[in-house]
Amino acid sequence: MTKVPSSVSCASPWHAPCSSFGRQCRSHIPVRLFEVCPLRHALRRSLPARSSSGIRAAPARIAAATSLSASKTASGSPETTTKQDSGTKTPRPRSVKPDRKSNQSKSATSAKKSNTSSRAVIVQQLLRIETEGAYAALVAGSPSADAQEDASRDSRQITYSVSNILRWQRRLDFTIAHLTGKPCTKLEHRVHAILRLAVHELLFQELPAHAVSEHVNLAKSLVRPAAGSLVNAVLRRLLREQEQGTLPEPPMPDGSTPQGKAAEMLAVATSHPTWMVARWLQRWGQQEAMSLLAHNNRSTPAYAVRVCPSLDLSPQKLVEQLQEAGVEAAVSSVLPKDFLVATGLQHLIRQGFLQRGSCQVQDEAAGLVVALLDPQPGETILDACAAPGGKALYAAARMQNQGRLVAMDIHKKRLGALKTAAAAQGLQELITTRTGDLCQYADWVAAQPEDARQEHQYDRVLVDAPCSGLGVLAKRVDLRWRRTPEELTELATLQAQLLDAAATLVKPSGLLVYSTCSIEPEENTDQVAAFLARNSDYAHEAASEDQLPGQVISAGGFLQTLPHVHDMDGAFGARLRRAS
């Protein structure tokens, strides 16, 4: 049985929550990072304005959107007091004016408790991810959970803080190591997590200095009293050096910096693993690599949404409804018949669109893979690595309820979720699921008699292979820290096995489509070239503009999206035609 490396998955548990708006790079890099070199200035100009909550505003790709109106808070009723006369046993109620100072004090106390509680939750979630290997998307909340109507401001702030601290943890550790005078590996896990939270709030969110007392109290309660003294000393030094202008920034490379040193400097400044930055510098050069790094650090979510055609709803109609509700939205520029892009899901959930199956959260890049597959009504199709199921559902929708689509995966539970979604979208008659390993399935089919094998031959087969996911780092904030260079070799071996197995299941003259959410050659063009060398009965068939927009077709005829170029997930796809 083919085993997937333990830390490998082809996509986020939320496969397509946030395509990004705008061509400019937006990231939460502290202001002084940009005061020296042109690259810093270019990135600083792309920073969106802060909201009153300290969270930067959503990127603005949509000119027609209207801003959300501020919610109003109802005031409380006046309080009453009672007075006891010396000769009267019954207290007499008396109306008085509200005690504003008392109310303000209570509100401040409540807010302080809420802030302290929220910070404790953030620290606990960071520790789970750091020490237990938990996934950020599951710990900090999925897009739909984060968008529930009754989701509190605190829960949204927790999700934002956990995600952004993970995203910027290497940059935060640079400052913490300077302030403590020792490597962060020498710090206790809890103290380290508290310091990351504190530095993030003071530098990135620009909270006032009095927030330090909250961090000190947090250290005292979660660690021990002495830890509070350490946190206090570190943060007071941060504030002092920040005020004096002596707080150091990570150094940036110039034209004379050797490439290895430049990779290390950029990796610290933009909070990425050095090995990733080194690869991208070598492939694209410093300017384009910086654009990708900045894109990966965008923290404002935007969502691509596929509108299901089985209902009386179109992307344009849904965009109009969202705009009327104050949500920034626009029809997709690459898949206008089926997709739109919006800044939030609250309205869609509140109105029941997702629950009813009227639409589905799915990145445009994932939709382009299905467009490359180009499924036709009446065909038999195999989605060989189907979970979580977004591509299978979109492919089935394009088949207009005519034909058969088999969705296969090794994860039975995830296929169960796919079946539920298929029923909600009216596709249950077309989609069937098969739990199992693709390589074992191909071996079993090969052992069957000739007439039995025909039942397991498909017009089109999609292999959306497990991959490094380096095209979705903006969405999966913890993925950059989970990946290693060695995994690319392991993944290339697994991908080759899956491709060879799938090749035996394609009918003569049929089509095999190979796709990843990676931007690395070993998993994409190199993998296709090696497959064609092993399988002489297959040939690469270049994508045409009948299938895809010209801007996502590479010079070699492949589907290729780059996050910093196309404002969506990075993805790759190849059409491989079997001889007749």
Side-chain angles (χ1 to χ4, degrees):
M1 176 175 179
T2 304
K3 294 184 178 179
V4 182
S6 59
S7 61
V8 172
S9 65
C10 66
S12 164
W14 276 90
H15 207 208
C18 65
S19 179
S20 301
F21 288 168
R23 295 290 173 187
Q24 292 181 325
C25 303
R26 294 170 170 82
S27 54
H28 284 269
I29 303 179
V31 171
R32 288 190 309 283
L33 179 59
F34 307 102
E35 291 180 353
V36 180
C37 73
L39 286 173
R40 288 172 174 163
H41 282 293
L43 282 175
R44 185 178 179 184
R45 285 196 300 270
S46 69
L47 290 174
R50 292 183 186 274
S51 67
S52 59
S53 65
I55 304 177
R56 295 195 183 274
R61 182 167 102 183
I62 306 165
T66 57
S67 60
L68 286 168
S69 59
S71 59
K72 297 182 179 180
T73 305
S75 60
S77 59
E79 297 181 13
T80 60
T81 60
T82 60
K83 183 177 180 180
Q84 182 85 28
D85 288 337
S86 58
T88 307
K89 296 182 179 180
T90 306
R92 179 165 56 90
R94 179 169 64 90
S95 296
V96 298
K97 294 181 180 180
D99 186 347
R100 290 191 178 91
K101 181 179 289 189
S102 175
N103 287 343
Q104 291 172 356
S105 176
K106 290 179 180 178
S107 297
T109 302
S110 176
K112 185 174 181 180
K113 289 181 178 178
S114 176
N115 288 338
T116 301
S117 175
S118 296
R119 288 186 174 101
V121 172
I122 291 169
V123 169
Q124 290 164 1
Q125 292 185 357
L126 291 173
L127 288 170
R128 283 194 60 198
I129 294 165
E130 179 82 13
T131 63
E132 300 175 22
Y135 286 93
L138 300 178
V139 169
S142 65
S144 62
D146 184 43
Q148 293 292 342
E149 182 179 9
D150 60 351
S152 67
R153 179 189 178 97
D154 281 350
S155 68
R156 292 193 297 271
Q157 181 64 35
I158 288 169
T159 299
Y160 162 80
S161 294
V162 170
S163 297
N164 219 40
I165 291 168
L166 287 172
R167 182 180 287 113
W168 285 104
Q169 68 179 34
R170 189 172 185 184
R171 171 65 183 81
L172 295 170
D173 286 352
F174 171 87
T175 299
I176 293 170
H178 162 74
L179 295 172
T180 59
K182 58 184 176 182
C184 291
T185 53
K186 300 292 186 181
L187 295 170
E188 295 179 60
H189 287 302
R190 287 181 182 271
V191 172
H192 190 191
I194 292 168
L195 287 174
R196 280 177 172 173
L197 167 63
V199 173
H200 176 265
E201 290 189 340
L202 294 170
L203 289 186
F204 283 53
Q205 293 181 257
E206 299 178 359
L207 265 59
H210 62 72
V212 169
S213 62
E214 298 294 326
H215 302 120
V216 171
N217 291 335
L218 188 64
K220 290 179 178 178
S221 62
L222 293 184
V223 189
R224 58 185 174 276
S229 300
L230 170 62
V231 169
N232 183 63
V234 170
L235 299 184
R236 294 299 173 189
R237 180 180 178 185
L238 183 153
L239 295 173
R240 184 171 59 254
E241 293 188 6
Q242 187 180 32
E243 184 177 358
Q244 296 170 351
T246 58
L247 186 67
E249 296 286 349
M252 297 288 283
D254 55 31
S256 63
T257 307
Q259 191 172 82
K261 183 64 175 177
E264 177 72 14
M265 295 165 75
L266 285 175
V268 174
T270 65
S271 194
H272 282 73
T274 301
W275 69 270
M276 286 186 192
V277 178
R279 291 174 66 88
W280 298 334
L281 275 177
Q282 184 175 15
R283 191 183 315 160
W284 291 313
Q286 185 165 310
Q287 185 173 355
E288 188 169 355
M290 279 294 295
S291 295
L292 175 59
L293 294 169
H295 186 284
N296 289 345
N297 286 335
R298 290 202 236 191
S299 59
T300 303
Y303 304 96
V305 176
R306 179 176 67 84
V307 178
C308 302
S310 58
L311 295 129
D312 185 22
L313 190 67
S314 68
Q316 184 58 49
K317 288 182 180 179
L318 189 52
V319 164
E320 291 171 0
Q321 291 187 34
L322 289 170
Q323 290 176 347
E324 289 175 2
V327 179
E328 295 183 6
V331 173
S332 167
S333 62
V334 293
L335 293 167
K337 294 182 179 179
D338 300 308
F339 280 74
L340 60 89
V341 185
T343 55
L345 299 177
Q346 292 92 335
H347 181 75
L348 295 176
I349 292 178
R350 185 165 55 246
Q351 298 299 323
F353 286 109
L354 297 178
Q355 185 176 4
R356 290 195 304 269
S358 303
C359 57
Q360 174 183 340
V361 179
Q362 186 171 29
D363 193 79
E364 293 165 289
L368 289 170
V369 169
V370 177
L372 184 70
L373 179 67
D374 195 23
Q376 299 297 313
E379 291 183 331
T380 57
I381 294 177
L382 172 65
D383 185 349
C385 306
K391 295 181 180 70
L393 292 166
Y394 185 29
R398 291 174 67 122
M399 295 169 70
Q400 302 173 17
N401 258 334
Q402 301 175 48
R404 182 171 67 99
L405 189 149
V406 177
M408 183 174 185
D409 203 88
I410 59 175
H411 300 290
K412 183 176 182 179
K413 185 175 181 180
R414 300 181 82 189
L415 287 178
L418 190 160
K419 291 174 69 175
T420 300
Q425 297 178 25
L427 301 170
Q428 67 273 21
E429 298 300 324
L430 191 143
I431 295 179
T432 59
T433 59
R434 174 185 289 272
T435 304
D437 178 271
L438 174 61
C439 296
Q440 289 185 346
Y441 174 54
D443 290 342
W444 177 82
V445 171
Q448 303 306 304
E450 177 67 25
D451 57 342
R453 284 202 300 270
Q454 300 303 316
E455 298 179 12
H456 301 277
Q457 298 286 297
Y458 300 88
D459 296 299
R460 299 172 197 254
V461 175
L462 172 62
V463 178
D464 186 38
C467 68
S468 65
L470 297 192
V472 296
L473 295 184
K475 180 186 305 176
R476 293 193 57 187
V477 294
D478 55 338
L479 188 59
R480 67 186 73 180
W481 311 120
R482 295 179 182 274
R483 289 290 175 256
T484 65
E486 294 74 24
E487 281 186 326
L488 291 179
T489 302
E490 297 175 17
L491 285 162
T493 301
L494 172 62
Q495 291 155 0
Q497 293 172 352
L498 294 173
L499 264 176
D500 287 343
T504 66
L505 303 173
V506 180
K507 291 179 179 179
S509 302
L511 184 70
L512 172 61
V513 169
Y514 171 73
S515 68
T516 71
C517 56
S518 173
I519 56 176
E520 301 309 308
E522 297 96 318
E523 302 180 90
N524 296 337
T525 51
D526 293 355
Q527 190 65 257
V528 170
F531 170 81
L532 293 174
R534 295 191 306 269
N535 295 271
S536 59
D537 56 336
Y538 276 87
H540 173 234
E541 182 176 276
S544 72
E545 293 196 23
D546 292 336
Q547 298 149 358
L548 299 174
Q551 66 263 34
V552 300
I553 301 176
S554 72
F558 301 107
L559 163 66
Q560 180 70 77
T561 60
L562 297 172
H564 59 295
V565 174
H566 301 101
D567 261 344
M568 63 183 73
D569 287 351
F572 172 86
R575 288 170 61 94
L576 305 168
R577 181 70 68 177
R578 191 172 193 179
S580 57

